[in-house]
Amino acid sequence: MATTVNGNIPLPPAITSNTIRVRDLDVHFLQALPPPNPSIPQPPLVILLHGFPELAYSWRKVMVPLSEAGYNVVALDQRGYGRTVMLGSSGAPSGPINFSNDLAPFRMFNLVTDIVSFVSVISYQSVAAVVGHDFGSMVAGYCALIRPDLFRSLVVMSAPFPGAPPFRSSLSTASLFTKQLAELNPSRKHYTMYFSTSGKPPPENRALIFLSCDYFYAKSADWPKNNPHPLPSASASNLATVPHYYIMLLEHTMPMAVMGAASEGTRPLQEWLPDEDLSFYVSEYSRTGFQGGLNWYRCMTDAKWTADMQAFTGKRVTVPAMFLSGDKDWGVYQSPGSLERMKDYVCENMDKEDVVLLPDTGHWAQQEQSEAVVNHLLRFLAKVSLHYIFTTLCVTDLSSPFTGQNDYKSDITNLYTVYRYSSIYCNIEYSKF
């Protein structure tokens, strides 16, 4: 696809780069609009949320195909990332993000409020789907959990959504787990604790720019050592079998954990991440540093900053939901039992056909296999539209203008049933899971 420089960002011509004031942020977002349709003045909105260490740019390959199907597609640089700027009390930029900054703005409740506020500022009353990848899947999951009236469906990619945290016991399970990993031979540590290094910035805070090639490659389907599978339990010994970019050697930095990965496969990284795209990631993180994203991890691993989410403990996601990842992505299994809990309990409306592991695809699904991701997103969005018609038109009260039109209700009921159980819609074979 031909590209053009849009706001110094190498993008397809149909994607625009924009900035808008939202709360204490100047939010940078990419947008792809559908062809004009006078009968649809406000096309349905799809919001795409990136993970770490990524940007709104991570969605560049899927935005235009989704917009061509009739959606207003928006991808944000989230708080602490890219060209989104945090503002001080005067409204001026607050400056570079440092390890010593207040962590309160980076806690999950505030990240979700950012997205809810963004939807309001762009004058939408509902979102057809919120799609999150990696850490973005956590934000997307909470959006759907907390505001099902606003977010009509959820797509979780790579990292299963665990739901709200349980009420904590007096014993810190995180501290115990950290101790158990350290007692292995050789000693290990979890990558989230590494990114959350207490008391001083992680040593590669600036050097991460030098690992980008190996880091992207190590978590892709092309690295031959990626063979994900469910683990029997969350014991330290079981987790020690997970690649070192998740369960790290105690003395390693992340660059050391992935060093040389790009030279160990047969497919070059450039086939799905061209040098131009990789250079954009490097230039952006060279400019901003990584502390904004790392502050998300610091909040996630400190009970102080997750306590307000316990107001939702036990609450389930009620809107239609899909899990979409790659069969070579260890993100699916790095937290034993989380996938099963998500599909069996946390998301009460996640059908078996909507738990999809794309073949020969790693952690970066929307970049490695963008066409397959688009196909599944469109299949799911079509299904959600039918679900919305079914629940709003067929399940009505006595005041409904459709009351008594039994043939019409029957037709839509049959259509929804046929769709749900079709195995050839869009020529996609559903993943058997």
Side-chain angles (χ1 to χ4, degrees):
M1 179 181 294
T3 62
T4 186
V5 175
N6 187 336
N8 298 320
I9 307 174
L11 291 168
I15 300 178
T16 61
S17 171
N18 312 272
T19 302
I20 193 168
R21 181 67 55 90
V22 179
R23 307 176 73 216
D24 62 335
L25 300 171
D26 277 341
V27 174
H28 172 253
F29 65 99
L30 305 180
Q31 183 175 37
L33 288 165
N37 185 342
S39 65
I40 307 177
Q42 190 180 60
L45 176 65
V46 172
I47 292 182
L48 307 174
L49 303 177
H50 65 80
F52 178 87
E54 294 187 275
L55 302 163
Y57 187 70
S58 306
W59 299 101
R60 66 200 175 279
K61 294 183 180 181
V62 304
M63 293 182 68
V64 174
L66 293 176
S67 70
E68 290 173 344
Y71 295 95
N72 177 8
V73 185
V74 171
L76 294 76
D77 282 344
Q78 296 190 78
R79 180 181 293 268
Y81 286 87
R83 302 189 179 193
T84 288
V85 177
M86 295 179 64
L87 307 173
S89 57
S90 66
S94 59
I97 299 172
N98 300 309
F99 188 83
S100 60
N101 289 154
D102 180 15
L103 288 181
F106 300 94
R107 72 192 193 281
M108 184 56 64
F109 191 87
N110 203 50
L111 301 178
V112 172
T113 305
D114 287 342
I115 307 306
V116 172
S117 300
F118 175 85
V119 173
S120 176
V121 168
I122 64 172
S123 300
Y124 268 78
Q125 286 72 51
S126 67
V127 179
V130 57
V131 184
H133 174 254
D134 188 78
F135 215 143
S137 71
M138 184 78 78
V139 181
Y142 274 116
C143 284
L145 180 77
I146 298 172
R147 292 296 306 272
D149 59 314
L150 183 61
F151 300 95
R152 290 184 177 172
S153 69
L154 167 67
V155 180
V156 175
M157 296 182 64
S158 180
F161 177 57
F167 297 111
R168 298 181 184 273
S169 66
S170 58
L171 178 64
S172 171
T173 54
S175 295
L176 177 62
F177 180 60
T178 297
K179 180 176 181 291
Q180 291 172 342
L181 284 176
E183 290 174 347
L184 294 174
N185 185 17
S187 298
R188 310 292 213 288
K189 62 190 173 192
H190 198 275
Y191 81 102
T192 59
M193 301 306 295
Y194 174 66
F195 285 157
S196 308
T197 302
S198 177
K200 60 181 180 180
E204 90 297 5
N205 190 34
R206 297 180 63 85
L208 264 171
I209 58 174
F210 301 113
L211 68 81
S212 51
C213 181
D214 282 329
Y215 189 74
F216 277 112
Y217 202 90
K219 299 181 77 171
S220 75
D222 300 321
W223 193 49
K225 297 179 183 179
N226 280 330
N227 183 29
H229 54 272
L231 299 175
S233 73
S235 70
S237 58
N238 281 325
L239 285 169
T241 64
V242 174
H244 288 172
Y245 52 75
Y246 279 138
I247 305 300
M248 305 170 64
L249 294 176
L250 186 62
E251 301 303 322
H252 271 191
T253 64
M254 187 59 77
M256 294 167 67
V258 298
M259 185 178 297
S263 64
E264 295 177 351
T266 57
R267 182 190 183 199
L269 181 69
Q270 289 75 15
E271 286 194 15
W272 59 269
L273 189 64
D275 290 341
E276 180 184 40
D277 295 347
L278 180 59
S279 294
F280 180 73
Y281 284 115
V282 172
S283 66
E284 287 295 278
Y285 278 103
S286 296
R287 180 177 57 82
T288 65
F290 291 81
Q291 196 59 57
L294 295 176
N295 282 349
W296 288 33
Y297 286 96
R298 293 171 66 196
C299 288
M300 180 181 72
T301 56
D302 186 339
K304 173 183 178 181
W305 302 114
T306 61
D308 49 5
M309 304 310 289
Q310 291 180 347
F312 309 101
T313 297
K315 193 175 189 298
R316 303 172 70 186
V317 174
T318 57
V319 299
M322 176 168 73
F323 180 72
L324 179 60
S325 190
D327 67 353
K328 299 296 185 182
D329 183 7
W330 264 108
V332 178
Y333 302 115
Q334 63 148 320
S335 297
S338 61
L339 178 62
E340 290 73 18
R341 175 175 167 77
M342 178 188 65
K343 64 189 182 71
D344 295 339
Y345 177 76
V346 175
C347 295
E348 66 178 43
N349 200 355
M350 179 179 282
D351 293 336
K352 183 177 180 180
E353 68 196 26
D354 295 323
V355 179
V356 180
L357 299 181
L358 300 172
D360 300 319
T361 305
H363 183 70
W364 322 102
Q366 71 271 37
Q367 299 185 80
E368 294 180 59
Q369 300 288 349
S370 59
E371 184 175 351
V373 168
V374 167
N375 286 341
H376 276 287
L377 289 176
L378 290 178
R379 174 190 65 79
F380 178 71
L381 286 165
K383 177 178 176 177
V384 168
S385 296
L386 285 175
H387 179 272
Y388 181 71
I389 293 172
F390 178 77
T391 56
T392 57
L393 298 185
C394 296
V395 184
T396 58
D397 58 32
L398 294 177
S399 65
S400 169
F402 295 101
T403 298
Q405 297 184 14
N406 293 325
D407 290 342
Y408 179 83
K409 290 183 178 183
S410 177
D411 286 345
I412 292 196
T413 301
N414 290 338
L415 177 62
Y416 183 64
T417 301
V418 168
Y419 178 87
R420 283 194 62 191
Y421 293 103
S422 169
S423 62
I424 57 172
Y425 185 80
C426 285
N427 295 317
I428 299 172
E429 182 179 355
Y430 297 138
S431 295
K432 302 298 188 293
F433 189 81

